[in-house]
Amino acid sequence: MRAVQFEEYGPPSVLRIAEVEAPHAGPGEIRVAVRASGISPGETLIRSGAMRGLVPVTLPYRTGFDAAGVVDEVGEGVTGVAVGDEVFGMTAMTARGANADFAVLAAWAPKPAAWSWEEAGGAAGAAETSTRVLDRLAVDAGQTVLVQGAAGGVGTVAVQMAVARGATVIGTASERNHDFLRSLGAEPTTYGAGLAERVRALAPDGVDAVFDCAGGALPDLVAIAGDPARVVTIAPDLTAASHGVHMSHGAPVDDTGAALGVGADPLAVHGLPIAVALAARGRLRVPVAAAFPLAEVAAAHELSEGRHARGKIVLVG
């Protein structure tokens, strides 16, 4: 089968489509014939070498964490899903490799009928991450949440999931994306200098929680929240600890439910069925910024690195 991988750190041009042996579903897993898979901004940093001191990898490294496709193999002990079912989900964090013709999923849910394959292919990671952070921040009805970087792949889903919890959401984005954020249920504002004043004008009673998807503004975000414990970032911001801010990244869990990995949070895989339920009610869509053929993965990474894509970037075919 074809799979995206890189054998050395570097620019998007180091990515290759390799012919590799197809994986098989182990106990508790399923395999899908992939129809679409997501591009992860975190993996663009891994590929570039920017994260080599924090995220050691074994080369060659196969990319891709979330995918959607048709089940063609069911592992031992798996119930509730059958060959031929349409699903979306995530690989094991230690395996990855979803940017391929076939992928083994460790967590999955039925593909909502309302979603295209492109939407479903980029949904699982965003739904899991959004749920993980919103849970940690204990976001609930009646609260006000600031989502920094609200027009990106995770931000667009986080806005909708927070709104579905009954929260009032303020989202930062460039002005060209403000009407788009309003369509998702957020009150938009621009990022950058003067953010605290703009947020105060929109939320005179204060902000209960801050979900940072973008990075680079933690001092302002802490000032807006009034307490670093009320700020969680998913950006790879090495200054987070010095500001008292938790940097959330997912990891597998052991038999006790503890996360495996320094500073890691357990994966919020319960976010997948939540996403399915919201999609069925027309309350969650997965905006797709662009879809590229698998062979054009380098162009997809280039677009992701530009940090201006509105929604998810996915690979198809």
Side-chain angles (χ1 to χ4, degrees):
M1 72 166 191
R2 299 174 303 161
V4 176
Q5 66 181 37
F6 59 88
E7 299 180 1
E8 61 180 327
Y9 295 118
S13 59
V14 303
L15 293 163
R16 296 286 183 268
I17 306 298
E19 286 293 332
V20 302
E21 186 175 344
H24 293 283
E29 299 175 329
I30 62 172
R31 189 178 78 171
V32 298
V34 176
R35 295 292 185 267
S37 60
I39 294 294
S40 164
E43 281 194 326
T44 67
L45 294 172
I46 292 173
R47 186 220 69 238
S48 72
M51 300 288 286
R52 73 179 73 187
L54 290 176
V55 186
V57 301
T58 300
L59 299 173
Y61 179 93
R62 293 185 191 171
T63 66
F65 175 56
D66 47 6
V70 179
V71 179
D72 79 335
E73 197 172 270
V74 177
E76 180 183 350
V78 173
T79 60
V81 66
V83 171
D85 287 352
E86 297 182 349
V87 301
F88 73 106
M90 306 180 296
T91 67
M93 291 289 289
T94 53
R96 303 255 172 181
N99 299 147
D101 289 326
F102 295 91
V104 171
L105 304 183
W108 61 88
K111 172 187 169 293
W115 288 355
S116 67
W117 281 118
E118 290 82 1
E119 290 173 286
E128 183 279 322
T129 302
S130 296
T131 302
R132 173 170 20 107
V133 174
L134 294 174
D135 282 356
R136 184 178 180 93
L137 290 167
V139 171
D140 207 347
Q143 296 184 331
T144 298
V145 180
L146 172 65
V147 178
Q148 171 83 337
V154 173
T156 53
V157 172
V159 165
Q160 294 171 86
M161 295 188 91
V163 168
R165 293 184 180 210
T168 297
V169 179
I170 299 169
T172 68
S174 59
E175 192 167 349
R176 66 185 177 87
N177 286 322
H178 283 192
D179 285 343
F180 169 67
L181 289 186
R182 289 187 185 97
S183 76
L184 300 181
E187 181 64 38
T189 190
T190 53
Y191 44 77
L195 177 61
E197 291 74 15
R198 291 191 296 277
V199 171
R200 191 177 301 115
L202 294 171
D205 293 330
V207 166
D208 299 290
V210 177
F211 186 161
D212 175 30
C213 301
L218 288 181
D220 285 343
L221 300 182
V222 170
I224 289 167
D227 182 347
R230 290 157 58 185
V231 181
V232 173
T233 185
I234 61 168
D237 191 330
L238 301 183
T239 70
S242 66
H243 295 293
V245 171
H246 179 69
M247 183 170 66
S248 182
H249 59 97
V253 298
D254 64 19
D255 293 338
T256 70
L260 302 175
V262 177
D265 297 329
L267 291 178
V269 295
H270 60 284
L272 274 61
I274 291 173
V276 172
L278 291 175
R281 291 155 49 199
R283 301 196 65 184
L284 180 62
R285 54 195 173 108
V286 184
V288 175
F292 293 85
L294 197 68
E296 296 180 15
V297 62
H301 272 234
E302 288 174 2
L303 178 60
S304 179
E305 287 180 336
R307 297 174 64 86
H308 293 297
R310 189 169 79 181
K312 287 291 295 187
I313 301 168
V314 298
L315 301 175
V316 296

